[in-house]
């Protein structure tokens, strides 16, 4: 039983953790090398790792996908520790429009122009993105914004994520308080009442049984 | 189309949150009134207790506190507006 409980908790943690890791914004330090547009044919299952067509356009099975090719500074531990090496990273650049995840991004074309501008030089920039790069499924992280930075060693403080996790903690505590209040005020009294009724019924049965037993003993 | 979906589902979701928070806040207020009355009048009879709690809840209903639960609708709208602005203004 204990083992099932632990397995369940680990599984829940992994699922929620990967969901948040996919959805929350992350920052990469990159040098944009080029931008390009490729035609993409989504398959049934990698479709969910892509957002929508440009806001206001029709969504088709096949469409063009904006990509930003970069040389990225490697990091360890979710970007908290910087490394000296670099590797390539390719971002897609899609509108999320009004859909999920709620970035409300409508300016893919402008972002593409900014990236193209950066690609002319060799300057460092910070790309905010969400999502994963999965090579064997042709999945790319979606770039949300890009801005020039002084160099590859700047410190980035993830303000949004800090606020998000504080807020999430408050929500969890609040929901727990609500649940306890609900149990204490609405469910427990009902259970008490039911138990009381069961007690009464049992007492009645015992009384009747006693009477029956006495009757048998009478002879 | 996406916008309509967001508004409809957002409204439904926030309405659930609104009612949960409103009921929770009222329940907490009621419990506080009960505890306060019991502490002040350990021998108080049932009718005075009920009247005291009913009065307290009426006062709560007319105060600003239950109206603040309406922020459940306003805050997410403002947050979405802020996200739209910061993401798309470059």
């Amino acid at each position: 039983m204990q083992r099932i409980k632990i397995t369940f908790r680990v599984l829940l943690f992994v699922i929620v953790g990967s969901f948040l890791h996919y959805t929350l914004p992350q920052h990469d330090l990159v040098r944009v090398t080029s931008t390009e547009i490729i035609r993409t044919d989504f398959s049934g299952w990698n479709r969910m790792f892509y957002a929508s067509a440009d806001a206001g356009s029709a969504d088709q099975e096949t469409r063009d996908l904006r990509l930003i090719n970069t040389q990225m500074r490697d990091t360890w531990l979710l970007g908290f520790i910087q490394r000296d090496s670099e590797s390539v990273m390719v971002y897609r650049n899609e509108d999320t429009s009004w859909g999920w995840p709620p970035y409300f991004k409508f300016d893919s074309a402008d972002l593409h122009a900014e990236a193209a501008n950066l690609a002319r030089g060799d300057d460092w920039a910070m790309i905010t993105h969400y999502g994963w790069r999965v090579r064997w499924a042709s999945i790319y992280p979606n770039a949300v914004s890009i801005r020039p930075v002084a160099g590859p060693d700047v410190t980035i403080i993830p303000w949004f994520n800090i606020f998000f996790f504080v807020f999430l903690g408050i929500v969890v505590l609040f929901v727990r308080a609500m649940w306890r209040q609900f149990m204490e005020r609405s469910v427990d009294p009902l259970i008490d009442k039911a138990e009381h009724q069961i007690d009464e019924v049992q007492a009645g049965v015992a009384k009747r049984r006693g009477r029956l037993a006495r009757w048998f003993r009478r002879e | 189309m996406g916008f309509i979906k967001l508004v409809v589902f957002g409204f439904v979701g926030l309405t659930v949150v609104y009612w949960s928070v409103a009921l929770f806040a009222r329940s907490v207020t009621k419990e506080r009134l009960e505890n306060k009355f019991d502490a002040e009048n350990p021998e108080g009879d049932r009718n005075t207790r009920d009247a005291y709690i009913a009065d307290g809840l009426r006062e709560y209903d007319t105060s600003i506190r239950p109206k603040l639960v309406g922020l459940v609708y306003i805050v997410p709208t403002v947050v979405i507006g802020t996200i739209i602005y910061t993401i798309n203004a470059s």
Side-chain angles (χ1 to χ4, degrees), chain A residues 35-214:
Chain A
T35 59
E36 65 177 326
I37 294 177
I38 61 168
R39 198 209 56 190
T40 316
D41 305 309
F42 304 111
S43 73
W45 78 272
N46 84 352
R47 178 66 189 87
M48 70 171 175
F49 291 100
Y50 286 90
S52 54
D54 288 355
S57 319
D59 224 346
Q60 305 285 344
E61 284 288 299
T62 294
R63 63 177 155 85
D64 287 345
L65 183 70
R66 296 187 180 93
L67 293 180
I68 302 173
N69 301 320
T70 67
Q71 196 73 20
M72 182 188 73
R73 185 79 186 251
D74 288 334
T75 55
W76 266 321
L77 240 160
L78 306 174
F80 284 110
I81 300 169
Q82 288 201 343
R83 291 160 69 182
D84 286 334
S85 55
E86 286 179 12
S87 54
V88 290
M89 182 50 102
V90 183
Y91 301 89
R92 70 193 148 100
N93 175 13
E94 280 182 298
D95 281 353
T96 61
S97 306
W98 302 100
W100 190 264
Y103 281 87
F104 303 104
K105 179 184 166 199
F106 301 97
D107 65 340
S108 295
D110 302 70
L111 192 69
H112 214 61
E114 283 173 52
N117 189 20
L118 280 164
R120 293 190 306 160
D122 209 19
D123 296 332
W124 286 89
M126 185 189 77
I127 281 195
T128 307
H129 69 91
Y130 73 88
W132 300 325
R133 176 84 178 101
V134 183
R135 271 123 192 138
W136 48 265
S138 296
I139 292 166
Y140 310 91
N142 192 0
V144 175
S145 75
I146 185 165
R147 85 182 153 78
V149 290
D153 298 315
V154 291
T155 316
I156 304 160
I157 302 170
W159 287 114
F160 179 84
N161 289 347
I162 292 169
F163 283 122
F164 177 82
F165 280 108
V166 169
F167 179 72
L168 193 69
I170 292 171
V171 166
V172 167
L173 290 179
F174 195 75
V175 168
R176 206 174 65 160
M178 275 165 74
W179 178 252
R180 285 192 174 165
Q181 184 78 4
F182 174 68
M183 291 305 273
E184 182 193 321
R185 306 283 296 183
S186 305
V187 179
D188 287 351
L190 277 181
I191 292 172
D192 282 352
K193 213 171 148 193
E195 272 176 358
H196 184 68
Q197 243 164 20
I198 289 168
D199 282 351
E200 267 183 1
V201 168
Q202 278 175 342
V205 168
K207 209 166 143 195
R208 232 168 294 152
R209 201 181 284 154
R211 221 184 294 158
L212 206 65
R214 266 204 306 281

Side-chain angles (χ1 to χ4, degrees), chain B residues 24-58:
Chain B
F24 170 67
R26 204 162 191 278
S27 172
V28 167
T29 311
K30 196 177 172 196
E31 192 175 348
R32 197 178 296 142
L33 286 167
E34 285 172 8
N35 291 343
K36 203 174 160 208
F37 183 86
D38 292 343
E40 283 167 6
N41 327 276
E43 307 280 297
D45 77 314
R46 204 169 177 108
N47 288 335
T48 4
R49 190 172 184 265
D50 287 352
Y52 176 82
I53 288 161
D55 274 355
L57 282 180
R58 212 168 300 128

Side-chain angles (χ1 to χ4, degrees), chain A residues 9-45:
Chain A
R9 278 189 189 161
V10 168
L11 211 67
L12 192 75
F13 180 80
V14 168
I15 291 170
V16 173
S18 355
F19 176 75
L20 290 178
H21 187 250
Y22 183 88
T23 317
L24 286 173
Q26 292 180 41
H27 307 285
D28 286 346
L29 289 167
V30 301
R31 275 178 309 182
V32 180
T33 47
S34 68
T35 59
E36 65 177 326
I37 294 177
I38 61 168
R39 198 209 56 190
T40 316
D41 305 309
F42 304 111
S43 73
W45 78 272

